[in-house]
Amino acid sequence: MRKIGLTIIAACFITGLVVVSAGAQMGGGKGSGMGMGGGMGMGGGGGMGMWDGSHAMHVISALGLDDNQSTEVKAILLKLQKEMIQKRADIQVAEIELKEILEKDPVDVKVAETKVKQIASLKTEAAMMHIQGI
């Protein structure tokens, strides 16, 4: 039963990650006003909104977890939500900084490349946070 429950949670996280990645590539989600990807996080707006509190409670009840297990899962999800909110903010700040770099004349391509790599790294860290959360 525990293995099946963990598999369900893992599948939900991975499905959400795929949905977020697809939304980011299509310019969806919060923080995509510049067309540089969407938010990647949990909770309200721009990201894995399906992992809001009500969905988490549904998964917990569907798994038939006891109170202690339920408390542990909630703590993990809340910690992950907080970390993802911070990561999403870091990504948005870096995207604004990239916009500033690109608006200069002439554009310093090396500086722009460094910023693009930083943004990619932050997005990779966010994806890994989800995987580690599983």
Side-chain angles (χ1 to χ4, degrees):
M1 176 67 180
R2 179 179 169 99
K3 197 171 197 174
I4 292 171
L6 291 175
T7 302
I8 291 170
I9 291 173
C12 289
F13 268 100
I14 291 170
T15 301
L17 186 58
V18 170
V19 168
V20 168
S21 295
Q25 289 175 0
M26 295 185 328
K30 224 176 198 177
S32 63
M34 293 178 281
M36 295 182 208
M40 187 166 197
M42 297 170 58
M48 294 182 63
M50 67 184 216
W51 274 102
D52 62 6
S54 62
H55 185 76
M57 291 305 298
H58 174 72
V59 170
I60 289 168
S61 66
L63 293 174
L65 302 177
D66 64 32
D67 288 342
N68 189 36
Q69 292 170 322
S70 196
T71 300
E72 288 179 31
V73 170
K74 286 179 197 175
I76 291 168
L77 291 175
L78 288 173
K79 181 179 184 255
L80 184 58
Q81 280 181 316
K82 291 175 189 177
E83 291 171 351
M84 289 306 300
I85 288 168
Q86 184 61 56
K87 190 62 66 181
R88 188 170 56 237
D90 293 344
I91 291 167
Q92 289 175 339
V93 168
E95 288 175 340
I96 290 169
E97 292 169 350
L98 176 60
K99 182 180 176 187
E100 291 174 328
I101 292 165
L102 296 175
E103 288 176 347
K104 291 183 180 174
D105 190 23
V107 172
D108 187 337
V109 177
K110 294 244 183 238
V111 173
E113 179 183 11
T114 300
K115 188 56 66 176
V116 167
K117 287 180 179 179
Q118 178 193 12
I119 293 167
S121 176
L122 289 167
K123 288 182 178 184
T124 299
E125 290 171 15
M128 291 308 299
M129 287 168 65
H130 279 285
I131 293 168
Q132 290 168 352
I134 294 169

